[in-house]
Amino acid sequence: TDRAVREGYSWNPYVFRCVEFIASNERDRRIVLREEDPHKGPIIERSKQDREQRRLLRVLNRRANEWEVGQVFRHRLVAQFVLSSRGVFVEAVRTRSGGIHSVYLLDPDMVEVVPGRRKKNPQDPNEIGVVTPIESFKVTTAVANGTPRWEWRPPFDPDATPEDQPSGIVWLRSPHPTIFERGMSPMEAVGLSAELDRYARLYNRRFMMKDGRPGGILSVKGPLDPQYEEVLKNRFSGGPEFSNSSTVVIEADDMAWADTSGHPRDTQWGDTMDRTKREMCVGFGLPESVVSDSSGQTFDNADADYAKAWEHSLLPLFRLLDAQLDALTPGGF
């Protein structure tokens, strides 16, 4: 997850824009509580909400914890959900009355899912118990003198009391098709495209920094004085500030210039960046017009692309998050 954030989200403008588009569209919507059907059920009016329901909406919409407002928390949650193949780990802290007091995002790279066995009678040493894929979560809290320290956190139980479970972790993830204890991220699919885009930019940057002016071989007729050779190098290189230019002055039978800096591969970086941009947009399920530039489209086509992004990318993602966050609502799932 750290590499996805560092080399994708922080360095690549297209990955950044895709993640920001998804996260900001969720952040700008308010969380509501519905009865029965989570998508079409009637919204519970404020006058009918109990204390725990009002508290939950306040946490998700206004103040998630003492350091974050609800919009910032949800923005980070969705960004982690898209970037992290380990999933998102939300620690929910209960109030004394059993409601949700606050929620916190844990670093996905610092949390491990620990399987185990559950026993009906924990005091019976002979009972084997039932295998459970999520017995607890191992959270790295600090590293002192190179030695990590861990804490064990339980999965959030909607039916537990504040005395039995003051806090617990809700694990959100886009499901992996074969491995239960991990998730999936678009960054895994577009990682190579993002890396190729980065190297294409570095290639062009090196060309501009080290050989911004065309390098080549200058042939001069007749004997050449070293003093004039240096003058010619500076003039053809663009001055002393381009001292890394690969201009070479040699003696020859006639005046001539041979360009050694131009190569067909030098023009490929632009085509490579256009191709990788399309691949990254495909990986995140977003049309190019909503991520980068819609100047080549009509208003109707741009609106259709935006509607397509909502219908086929954003709504399924938000509904997947909503289904997993139902653990926080009163009454559980």
Side-chain angles (χ1 to χ4, degrees):
T1 304
D2 176 70
R3 185 183 178 191
V5 173
R6 186 179 66 255
E7 298 185 11
Y9 181 77
S10 299
W11 289 356
N12 193 287
Y14 304 124
V15 173
F16 173 83
R17 183 54 191 155
C18 287
V19 175
E20 286 296 299
F21 179 82
I22 297 172
S24 60
N25 273 275
E26 195 285 330
R27 178 195 63 203
D28 292 340
R29 300 171 68 88
R30 291 186 63 82
I31 303 294
V32 298
L33 295 179
R34 295 180 181 271
E35 292 181 332
E36 299 177 355
D37 188 273
H39 310 303
K40 301 180 180 179
I43 297 177
I44 302 177
E45 302 295 337
R46 180 174 175 79
S47 58
K48 298 180 181 180
Q49 295 172 2
D50 58 28
R51 182 177 179 182
E52 283 75 16
Q53 291 174 333
R54 288 195 297 271
R55 177 70 193 182
L56 176 62
L57 290 178
R58 183 181 184 279
V59 166
L60 295 178
N61 288 320
R62 296 181 60 187
R63 174 63 66 175
N65 51 64
E66 57 265 39
W67 297 291
E68 292 180 311
V69 297
Q71 286 79 4
V72 173
F73 169 82
R74 285 160 42 202
H75 185 102
R76 294 179 59 229
L77 186 149
V78 175
Q80 280 192 19
F81 189 83
V82 175
L83 292 170
S84 171
S85 60
R86 300 175 64 88
V88 180
F89 300 91
V90 179
E91 183 173 12
V93 180
R94 285 187 168 92
T95 62
R96 293 182 179 180
S97 60
I100 302 299
H101 175 269
S102 55
V103 286
Y104 303 87
L105 282 174
L106 304 180
D107 186 345
D109 289 333
M110 308 291 279
V111 183
E112 296 181 19
V113 181
V114 181
R117 293 181 180 272
R118 290 183 179 178
K119 299 181 179 181
K120 293 183 179 180
N121 183 11
Q123 307 300 327
D124 185 1
N126 297 322
E127 183 183 356
I128 298 178
V130 180
V131 175
T132 172
I134 309 176
E135 174 66 22
S136 60
F137 296 95
K138 183 180 179 181
V139 182
T140 302
T141 57
V143 178
N145 297 325
T147 302
R149 298 178 181 178
W150 299 288
E151 289 186 7
W152 303 89
R153 310 284 174 83
F156 186 84
D157 184 359
D159 300 322
T161 63
E163 292 77 16
D164 295 334
Q165 190 184 82
S167 66
I169 292 181
V170 180
W171 184 25
L172 316 173
R173 68 194 188 281
S174 179
H176 191 280
T178 58
I179 305 175
F180 178 82
E181 60 271 13
R182 63 163 297 176
M184 281 294 295
S185 166
M187 274 305 300
E188 289 190 274
V190 306
L192 183 59
S193 299
E195 190 173 25
L196 187 61
D197 180 87
R198 174 171 175 259
Y199 284 122
R201 295 174 187 274
L202 289 176
Y203 182 90
N204 188 60
R205 179 181 181 273
R206 290 192 183 102
F207 173 79
M208 297 301 295
M209 293 297 294
K210 295 185 178 181
D211 197 10
R213 295 175 62 90
I217 300 175
L218 175 63
S219 302
V220 180
K221 184 177 181 180
L224 180 63
D225 188 279
Q227 179 180 356
Y228 294 112
E229 178 182 353
E230 193 65 28
V231 172
L232 288 173
K233 279 186 178 181
N234 290 337
R235 287 191 177 183
F236 275 82
S237 300
E241 62 271 19
F242 291 96
S243 58
N244 291 326
S245 178
S246 57
T247 299
V248 179
V249 181
I250 63 174
E251 297 180 5
D253 296 333
D254 199 0
M255 294 288 294
W257 170 260
D259 185 2
T260 60
S261 65
H263 196 282
R265 288 180 299 182
D266 297 340
T267 62
Q268 290 184 358
W269 76 276
D271 295 336
T272 300
M273 292 177 64
D274 289 338
R275 183 164 57 253
T276 55
K277 177 183 70 172
R278 292 193 295 270
E279 292 174 352
M280 285 182 278
C281 289
V282 169
F284 283 93
L286 299 175
E288 291 183 57
S289 60
V290 303
V291 174
S292 56
D293 184 18
S294 61
S295 59
Q297 292 187 316
T298 63
F299 287 105
D300 289 341
N301 289 340
D303 291 342
D305 281 348
Y306 187 80
K308 186 190 302 181
W310 260 104
E311 183 71 22
H312 299 289
S313 298
L314 299 186
L315 282 181
L317 186 147
F318 297 158
R319 286 171 179 171
L320 181 61
L321 278 173
D322 174 63
Q324 297 177 80
L325 285 171
D326 269 350
L328 299 177
T329 57
F333 295 101

